[in-house]
Amino acid sequence: MTSETDLIPAPRAVEGPMRCGVVFDEGTTLWAAPGTEGTERWLCATLGAALGLPLRPGPQDARDSVRLLLDDSLEPEAYRLSVVSTWGVEIRGGGPAGVFWGAQTLRQLLGPEAFRRAPVRPGIRYGVPHQIIEDSPRFRWRGLMLDVARHFMPKEGVLRYLDLMAAHKLNVFHFHLTDDQGWRIAIERHPRLTEVGSWRARTKFGHRASPLWEEKPHGGHYSRDDIREIVAYAAERHITVVPEIDVPGHSQAAIAAYPELGNTDVIDTASLTVWDTWGISPNVLAPTDNTLRFYEGVFEEVLELFPSEFIHVGGDECPKDQWRASPAAKARIAELGLADEDELQAWFIGHFAKWLSARGRRLIGWDEILEGGIAEGAAVSSWRGYGGGIAAARAGHDVVMCPEQYVYLDHRQADGADEPVPIGYVRTLEDVYRFEPVPPGLDASQAERIMGTQANVWTEVMEDHARVDYQAFPRLAAFAEVAWSALPASGERDFGDFERRMTAHYERLDALGVAYRPPSGPLPWQRRPGVPGRPIDGPPPNR
């Protein structure tokens, strides 16, 4: 039961389409069963506004109407979208999320005008061909990580990205809120985290080896109400927000705000400022009781704001030089009977794994948390390739696959001289489309530990939302299909068909105002001549 469509991500099965269908006009009504009110609101506010249609409430059996209902014979995120001529449109979902994903598909069927904020052709009747679409996701974790610490994205930009995620059926927003270069979330009991830690005096322009600087303060943060709004906006779109508070590395902004958090017996932490360049700062948290209590306070407020099952604690790229030189760290290692500094980091992360578990939450961290031993119940974001994820899955831990060689969208999209601030390996649209989240070599029970996959957007060289758009799109559309659709093995995927469907999808992205990279290469205003990056030649290592 398949047919040619221009939908992205590709649905599992399509019957049709046929030339006859259902017309949307001023008389189209909307009926929503209990449990589908969120999609009803979204259809009226978004689709109604785009097409200039009131979508008034009407009876369930009204002709040419839209009906929303739940069907417990379907999986929670699955849907069945029926467009039947002389009858109407019906979206059945296994749960509220399934109904919502069905509505996203309906939006694509209505054409690019449905992706605008106001009608561009008032009075036009929009037809949807007769067809039945049955669909469900491959993975339950279909994520996008956005780094707002390196370059701050104002709240409106974050809400916009949640809409872009929803349009591509992505459902986990990994919100990278803290790093050496900025602290972006207000913590009431520690106000200096944003008073001091959310601003840096200047910013490196380009790769960290670049001689260029933007000589003006950069920063910003989200208030507690901003966070509540973002979380609620995401929830309306069936997106879970997973916050990241980085420990014990990537913490110079926090130490600049509260110097006692650093290794005061090794360096003058009071002289530190929020970091203004890129890379891995040597200034890490001290493994003291004071630090633990401080971050417990931080996480208490984080848990109040974010209802997500998982809380991300980073755990990556923590240089151990200061700990090796610190009498206090050495004393802590001896006191705990640990072998070395790697085990000290594992103890640090393990403390918060137990702390979160006692409060009904779960810790997730980058794959460095495997070093020195991983806490029971912790999950792993496998970024340095497949290896960490494979080890974690074999050890019985849940995994999100996000290997940098495949789905780090800050990596360059082509090897042309016009690519703006080229970073890392060339990762083309086709490369992302052929990414396979489940590596070979896992048995069935281990493969089930792969919760899903995530694309990561690190913003060191993305100074505004247009640069984020350029790096994310169109590759995020390919990634979304990998995460959602039941695709063949990597080498057997029909990239030509995906490119064909992207022809229609570019028009949707245009309507949404997405500054994507055109297939022919960057437009003049998308280039950054003279700003050095860090390109790496050759194919990425397959590990």
Side-chain angles (χ1 to χ4, degrees), residues 46 120 122 145 149 242 263 271 323 371 527 541:
T46 303
V120 293
M145 190 233 54
V242 174
N263 294 283
S271 67
W323 287 358
E371 298 165 6
R527 299 168 189 160

Side-chain angles (χ1 to χ4, degrees), residues 147 149-151 176 178-182 200 203-210 213 246 248-253 274-284 316-319 368 383 408 410 423 458-461 534:
D147 165 28
R150 274 51 177 271
H151 277 101
H176 184 83
T178 74
D179 218 295
D180 299 306
Q181 295 86 0
R200 57 179 181 263
T203 298
K204 176 71 72 171
F205 197 40
H207 180 251
R208 62 178 175 271
S210 167
W213 294 88
D246 226 329
H250 287 294
S251 298
Q252 184 165 325
V274 177
W275 217 24
D276 57 10
T277 191
W278 316 126
I280 303 172
S281 170
N283 298 301
V284 304
D316 61 317
E317 297 179 328
C318 179
E368 285 94 333
W383 76 273
Y408 268 37
D410 45 307
I423 298 294
W458 300 102
T459 63
E460 287 94 336
V461 299
R534 185 184 60 91

Side-chain angles (χ1 to χ4, degrees), residues 311-380:
I311 303 295
H312 209 293
V313 302
D316 61 317
E317 297 179 328
C318 179
K320 310 295 193 302
D321 294 344
Q322 290 184 358
W323 287 358
R324 293 188 186 99
S326 165
K330 290 178 181 177
R332 179 65 95 180
I333 290 172
E335 171 198 340
L336 297 170
L338 304 176
D340 54 22
E341 288 75 18
D342 283 343
E343 288 195 5
L344 182 62
Q345 177 170 339
W347 164 82
F348 195 108
I349 297 295
H351 172 87
F352 287 103
K354 296 187 184 88
W355 188 92
L356 288 168
S357 178
R359 288 154 182 81
R361 306 297 188 94
R362 293 179 64 190
L363 179 144
I364 185 168
W366 302 110
D367 55 51
E368 285 94 333
I369 69 172
L370 291 160
E371 298 165 6
I374 182 174
E376 182 180 355
V380 170

Side-chain angles (χ1 to χ4, degrees), residues 443-490:
D443 65 28
S445 64
Q446 293 165 351
E448 287 179 0
R449 288 292 184 177
I450 310 298
M451 295 191 292
T453 183
Q454 180 172 289
N456 294 341
V457 178
W458 300 102
T459 63
E460 287 94 336
V461 299
M462 301 178 212
E463 70 276 10
D464 55 34
H465 87 268
R467 281 286 291 125
V468 174
D469 280 5
Y470 179 92
Q471 292 298 134
F473 288 97
R475 293 182 296 180
L476 192 64
F479 172 80
E481 183 149 311
V482 169
W484 176 276
S485 304
L487 297 177
S490 176

Side-chain angles (χ1 to χ4, degrees), residues 67-147:
R67 291 178 285 283
L68 311 176
L69 62 160
L70 301 179
D71 184 341
D72 60 11
S73 70
L74 301 173
E75 292 296 315
E77 288 193 279
Y79 67 89
R80 179 183 174 93
L81 170 60
S82 303
V83 182
V84 180
S85 59
T86 75
W87 179 53
V89 175
E90 179 182 272
I91 303 174
R92 290 177 174 266
V99 177
F100 183 72
W101 303 133
Q104 295 296 330
T105 297
L106 175 62
R107 187 189 195 187
Q108 291 196 21
L109 295 175
L110 282 160
E113 292 89 351
F115 289 80
R116 296 189 178 273
R117 296 191 182 184
V120 293
R121 293 175 180 83
I124 292 292
R125 290 156 56 92
Y126 291 89
V128 180
H130 177 111
Q131 60 196 295
I132 298 174
I133 298 172
E134 295 182 349
D135 204 5
S136 59
R138 179 183 180 191
F139 293 109
R140 65 185 176 99
W141 184 300
R142 306 180 302 279
L144 171 68
M145 190 233 54
L146 181 62
D147 165 28

Side-chain angles (χ1 to χ4, degrees), residues 198-251:
S198 70
W199 293 94
R200 57 179 181 263
R202 62 176 187 168
T203 298
K204 176 71 72 171
F205 197 40
H207 180 251
R208 62 178 175 271
S210 167
L212 306 176
W213 294 88
E214 185 178 40
E215 297 285 353
K216 68 177 183 181
H218 176 86
H221 74 275
Y222 309 103
S223 71
R224 290 167 61 85
D225 278 349
D226 289 339
I227 294 292
R228 291 185 181 102
E229 180 182 357
I230 288 166
V231 169
Y233 195 85
E236 278 278 300
R237 287 147 183 79
H238 299 279
I239 296 171
T240 299
V241 183
V242 174
E244 180 176 350
I245 305 295
D246 226 329
V247 297
H250 287 294
S251 298

